[in-house]
Amino acid sequence: MAFLASSFVVFLVQERTNKAKHVQFVSGVDPLSYWDSAYTWDLLNFLLPSLSILILVAAFEVPAYTGPRLGYLFLLLMLYGWAIIPLMYLFSFVFRTASTAFVVLTIFNIITGLATLLTVFILSIPGLDVLDVANALKWAFLVLPNYCLGQGIGDMFNNYNALDFFDKAVKMCLAIYPDRKFCEKYIRKKPAMSWSFRRITWPGTIPVLAAT
């Protein structure tokens, strides 16, 4: 998605540097109409890759993103496009060469998407004792669309795993005590269903970190 988002600045930088944009404004084109038409066209162009992603996810039957969650994924992708395109428009004024703009903004999108997620994930490890910093960065990074996209996809995956674990635990409970309301209430009170990190240590192995 970093390459796709960066591609939206190429045409804008070219229009500004070769004075095509200036000619349109001199000819009477309203600035609002200019940017609105560009934004609408880019959103339509963003829609096609998003649909391609949905088709691939559905074709490979990725459990965490199929079924009703496929619609959530589509909404997440479109909200990402709705946010990242204006941000790329803003950065387009910084560059005079379209190729330079594309390369620099691609690197920017990769860093703000990958590095921020890794930073939050690493700082969230309980052993580092900097969970407050991680929580603060989670809020600070919400201004970055690339971080929001990655975090949203990760949250969808974690939520699916938590619900899947909950359903399996309820089924195991029902095999012993056939009262669904009791089983659901009982399992929700178990520490394993809390939204926090816990350490699991198996005899003779290295402790590993598991998110529940």
Side-chain angles (χ1 to χ4, degrees), residues 83-151:
I84 194 65
I85 293 175
L87 183 62
M88 295 296 100
Y89 286 177
L90 184 63
F91 283 131
S92 68
F93 293 99
V94 179
F95 303 95
R96 294 183 177 274
T97 306
S99 58
T100 303
F102 178 76
V103 172
V104 172
L105 290 179
T106 298
I107 296 173
F108 169 80
N109 288 329
I110 293 174
I111 292 176
T112 57
L114 184 60
T116 53
L117 286 172
L118 287 175
T119 300
V120 171
F121 177 77
I122 293 173
L123 294 179
S124 298
I125 298 175
L128 298 179
D129 197 24
V130 286
L131 192 58
D132 292 338
V133 177
N135 291 330
L137 289 177
K138 283 182 181 179
W139 285 98
F141 289 154
L142 288 178
V143 299
L144 301 173
N146 296 290
Y147 169 79
C148 294
L149 176 65
Q151 187 65 45

Side-chain angles (χ1 to χ4, degrees), residues 162 165-174 179-194:
F165 173 79
F166 179 77
D167 290 338
K168 291 179 180 178
V170 169
K171 290 179 181 178
M172 292 177 62
C173 177
L174 289 174
D179 187 339
R180 188 172 187 85
K181 290 184 178 180
F182 169 81
C183 288
E184 291 181 353
K185 184 178 180 180
Y186 174 77
I187 293 172
R188 284 196 181 99
K189 292 181 179 179
K190 303 302 289 182
M193 291 304 297
S194 63

Side-chain angles (χ1 to χ4, degrees), residues 32-101:
L32 181 61
S33 300
Y34 173 84
W35 289 109
D36 184 57
S37 60
Y39 184 60
T40 303
W41 176 249
D42 287 338
L43 271 180
L44 291 175
N45 287 329
F46 186 85
L47 177 63
L48 296 178
S50 299
L51 292 176
S52 300
I53 292 174
L54 296 180
I55 292 173
L56 288 174
V57 170
F60 286 96
E61 298 181 352
V62 182
Y65 305 107
T66 52
R69 290 173 294 276
L70 194 63
Y72 304 151
L73 180 61
F74 175 71
L75 179 61
L76 179 62
L77 290 173
M78 293 310 299
L79 288 175
Y80 169 74
W82 178 76
I84 194 65
I85 293 175
L87 183 62
M88 295 296 100
Y89 286 177
L90 184 63
F91 283 131
S92 68
F93 293 99
V94 179
F95 303 95
R96 294 183 177 274
T97 306
S99 58
T100 303

Side-chain angles (χ1 to χ4, degrees), residues 19-35 37:
K19 304 300 181 181
K21 176 182 174 183
H22 178 70
V23 171
Q24 293 182 60
F25 286 167
V26 171
S27 301
V29 176
D30 181 57
L32 181 61
S33 300
Y34 173 84
W35 289 109
S37 60

